[in-house]
Amino acid sequence: MTLEQTIAFLTFSVVGAITPGPSNVMIMATGSLVGLTRGLPCVLGAALGMSSLFFCAGLGLAQLFLLYPLTLAIMNLIGAAFLFWLAWKIATADVTEAKGDTKAVGFLQAAAFQWMNPKGWLVAVSGIAAYSGASPGSAFGLAATSAVLFFVAAFPSGLAWLMAGALMQKLLPDARIARAFNIVMAIVLAGSVATIFVWPETAAFIP
């Protein structure tokens, strides 16, 4: 990529990474449950998971989905079902459990989550489709560059959401308030999934 293309793609990545969506809701919920330090593997896994998605999209997955839109639609349905299940788990999380015993979303879980996140697929496919035609060079070079740039945008963005969740942990000592917060997070997560089917033209910008 040229410098101008790099700046444009990085801007796209920052917008895609920091705006509210399933991945960021998961990170914030993790921060509210286990705090900043124990939530760091979740942020790292989410950033690397999305980067690997961009890498694979750049190597040809994006073209596959563009040629066969039904494939992407099926992936969206499977991912949406998984995210609704995750919303239920967040809403019913045991807030009375000791903080040290609460199970955090780990590195591998967060990384795998990105491959089940319909909006993650939309971000990767739309990003690669938009910038591949304007970027000369090999598909591998584009895939590797886009993966690195998205990680640069995604990790600090996820860290900001984790810090917000950790702050909520300190502000929500009462179990009833903490449960209400989890329910709100679950509703936001479920609502963000719905935008995939209601406003598909905007969903690509919400990871």
Side-chain angles (χ1 to χ4, degrees):
M1 291 185 184
T2 65
L3 178 61
E4 291 79 8
Q5 291 167 346
T6 299
I7 293 173
F9 187 84
L10 190 58
T11 301
F12 166 86
S13 300
V14 170
V15 172
I18 203 167
T19 46
S23 182
N24 289 330
V25 170
M26 175 194 68
I27 293 172
M28 187 175 185
T30 298
S32 70
L33 288 172
V34 301
L36 182 62
T37 302
R38 291 182 61 204
L40 284 175
C42 176
V43 176
L44 183 59
L48 285 176
M50 271 303 299
S51 295
S52 68
L53 199 59
F54 264 91
F55 183 75
C56 291
L59 289 181
L61 276 180
Q63 291 300 319
L64 174 65
F65 289 139
L66 291 173
L67 288 174
Y68 303 100
L70 181 60
T71 306
L72 183 58
I74 293 173
M75 288 295 300
N76 284 345
L77 288 172
I78 295 173
F82 171 77
L83 293 179
F84 280 127
W85 172 82
L86 181 63
W88 170 255
K89 295 293 289 184
I90 291 174
T92 58
D94 186 2
V95 296
T96 63
E97 200 173 1
K99 293 299 181 184
D101 297 331
T102 304
K103 187 177 181 181
V105 176
F107 173 84
L108 292 177
Q109 291 171 306
F113 172 87
Q114 306 310 313
W115 287 78
M116 296 297 293
N117 180 1
K119 290 185 180 178
W121 284 103
L122 289 172
V123 170
V125 170
S126 61
I128 293 297
Y131 291 93
S132 60
S135 302
S138 67
F140 181 86
L142 172 66
T145 301
S146 63
V148 170
L149 289 176
F150 197 88
F151 178 84
V152 169
F155 184 75
S157 299
L159 192 60
W161 281 90
L162 181 69
M163 292 173 65
L167 178 62
M168 294 304 298
Q169 182 191 53
K170 296 182 180 300
L171 296 177
L172 302 174
D174 185 89
R176 291 173 299 178
I177 301 177
R179 182 172 296 280
F181 174 77
N182 285 351
I183 292 174
V184 170
M185 288 292 96
I187 292 173
V188 171
L189 177 57
S192 66
V193 174
T195 62
I196 300 168
F197 307 103
V198 179
W199 301 292
E201 68 277 7
T202 61
F205 296 96
I206 311 178

